[in-house]
Each structure stands twice: as C-alpha cells, then as structure tokens.
Amino acid sequence: MDMEASLNPQQQEAVEYCHGPVLILAGAGSGKTRVLIHRIAWLLHQGIAPERILAITFTNKAAAEMRYRATEMVGARAGRLWVFTFHATCVRILRRHIDLLGYKSSFSIIDAGDAERTTRGIIRNLGLDDKIYTPGAVYAIIDRAKNSMQTPEELASAAIDHYSRNVARIYQEYQQLLQRNNSLDFNDLINLTVILFTRHPEVLRNYQEQFQYIMVDEY
C-alpha cells in the first residue's frame, strides 16, 4: 500500500510498525490522526479483519471524523471497525453483557443535568436542607467519588463529620435509584465496564482475543 505521498518517513514508520506498542508524541496539527487512519488502512491491507481493530478517541465529533476519514480510505469495511469514544465503546460492551451485573440491556443513560436533578430529589426525600446540601455541590462529590471508583460504602467509611456522612447516604440512595430505574450515568459507563471485566474474566478474555490492534487518539 503506497502512502509515501501523504506521510513523512516518521509517520510511515509509525503506520507500518506492528510488533508491539507505539506511542506518537507530536504537536497539534502535525498529523497524528492522519497516521492513525493510515495505520487502520495499512492493517486492513495486511489482511487484519476490521472487527479486530479498536480505535478510541475522546469526543463524538472526533470519532465521527475518524469514521468518515476511514470510510473515505477503505470503503465499506470501515463500517465493521470499532471506532468510538471511550464511553460509546463501553456502552456497546454493556449492551451485550450488563445483564451479568443485574441490569437490563435496555438501560437508559442520564446526563449531568439529570444526575443533579436526581440528587436534588433524593436530598428532599431524605428531609435534608438543600441550602446546606446544595445539589450541585453534593453531586460534585458523588461525581469525584465515582471517577475514583469509590463506592458509597467506601465514601461512608471515609466520612469525618455529619455532612460527609449524609453525602455518602445521598450517594447510596442515588446509586440504588439509578439501578432500580435501569439507568446509568456517564461514570457508570466506565465503572461498570471495569467491574464487568473484573467479575467476569471470561468476558474480558473474549475482547482481549477479539482486538488484535487497539489505537487511542489524543490519549
């Protein structure tokens, strides 16, 4: 596959290296995504099945751009590639396997605004003063805890005063309400995928065997 005209020697080397991990460090606008797209095309040219390639980026816009550019280069085969954001990749995995964690595959996804409104409702249902336990501040604590994969029980065990104990209680109610409603927030998409792989190594093994090449843009 001749890509000499559009790639410099360093980019060409990154495209064709396939014997271990590759890290590309370069400034904005220097062609990192172009290298990734050409690498996908080169791998397909080498006979790698599209389903065995996973390309991940951070935003929906970037993922759509990658899919568009891949389709321009390799045609219909691009439709069988896994080219998604981190969260969209996790959604696809969870739709297939989340029943193993006690949810239904038809789960809904709530955004940050919904999450804060849910927090406000729980604060009121618990009879707490929402001027002291302001929903935005409480949800920010829950969000930080979930970003660290800290459970409500772990947050409660780390509580040092009445306020933090009640926040842990709100977090507990929040998580239970989401599960009863078969809903996930954005943190759950990542966290439950990690939990799925940890509790069910056979599922993890299936994906490890499926993906021969994993590429991350703007990591």
Side-chain angles (χ1 to χ4, degrees):
M1 185 174 184
D2 184 11
M3 296 179 288
E4 297 290 343
S6 59
L7 300 175
N8 64 38
Q10 292 79 16
Q11 292 172 330
Q12 187 77 28
E13 181 182 8
V15 164
E16 296 184 4
Y17 184 82
C18 60
H19 303 296
V22 177
L23 173 64
I24 299 174
L25 295 175
S30 57
K32 295 185 297 297
T33 301
R34 184 167 72 250
V35 167
L36 189 150
I37 298 300
H38 278 80
R39 183 172 169 82
I40 289 172
W42 187 82
L43 290 169
L44 293 174
H45 186 71
Q46 302 307 303
I48 304 299
E51 296 84 357
R52 296 180 69 83
I53 298 173
L54 170 63
I56 294 182
T57 188
F58 276 92
T59 68
N60 289 323
K61 181 180 178 181
E65 174 70 12
M66 285 171 61
R67 282 192 294 270
Y68 174 77
R69 290 169 66 177
T71 301
E72 279 195 319
M73 185 164 287
V74 304
R77 286 181 298 172
R80 291 156 52 201
L81 297 163
W82 281 52
V83 182
F84 302 110
T85 62
F86 284 96
H87 288 94
T89 301
C90 290
V91 169
R92 191 165 187 176
I93 292 169
L94 291 172
R95 291 288 183 203
R96 295 179 176 182
H97 307 287
I98 200 169
D99 58 300
L100 295 171
L101 300 179
Y103 291 80
K104 297 178 182 177
S105 62
S106 58
F107 62 83
S108 58
I109 302 168
I110 67 171
D111 62 19
D114 292 329
E116 189 171 324
R117 282 188 287 274
T118 300
T119 304
R120 177 181 290 108
I122 291 169
I123 290 167
R124 290 175 178 172
N125 288 342
L126 291 175
L128 299 170
D129 187 343
D130 61 9
K131 292 184 175 60
I132 297 173
Y133 297 90
T134 56
V138 171
Y139 177 67
I141 296 171
I142 294 172
D143 183 56
R144 285 197 301 272
K146 297 185 81 168
N147 271 322
S148 302
M149 292 198 70
Q150 189 177 26
T151 66
E153 294 78 15
E154 289 168 339
L155 190 64
S157 68
I160 57 173
D161 54 26
H162 187 64
Y163 181 88
S164 54
R165 283 190 290 273
N166 274 332
V167 169
R169 191 173 156 216
I170 296 165
Y171 179 15
Q172 179 80 54
E173 292 288 331
Y174 171 89
Q175 203 58 33
Q176 290 175 351
L177 179 61
L178 258 60
Q179 185 157 9
R180 285 198 302 274
N181 291 338
N182 200 43
S183 298
L184 278 60
D185 62 21
F186 288 147
N187 286 312
D188 288 329
L189 298 177
I190 302 291
N191 293 356
L192 289 178
T193 303
V194 173
I195 291 169
L196 172 70
F197 287 162
T198 302
R199 293 183 185 174
H200 299 277
E202 72 283 0
V203 176
L204 173 60
R205 187 160 51 251
N206 286 340
Y207 286 101
Q208 289 173 326
E209 292 172 356
Q210 175 180 341
F211 295 123
Q212 190 172 350
Y213 292 93
I214 299 174
M215 289 166 282
V216 183
D217 194 26
E218 300 289 350
Y219 178 65

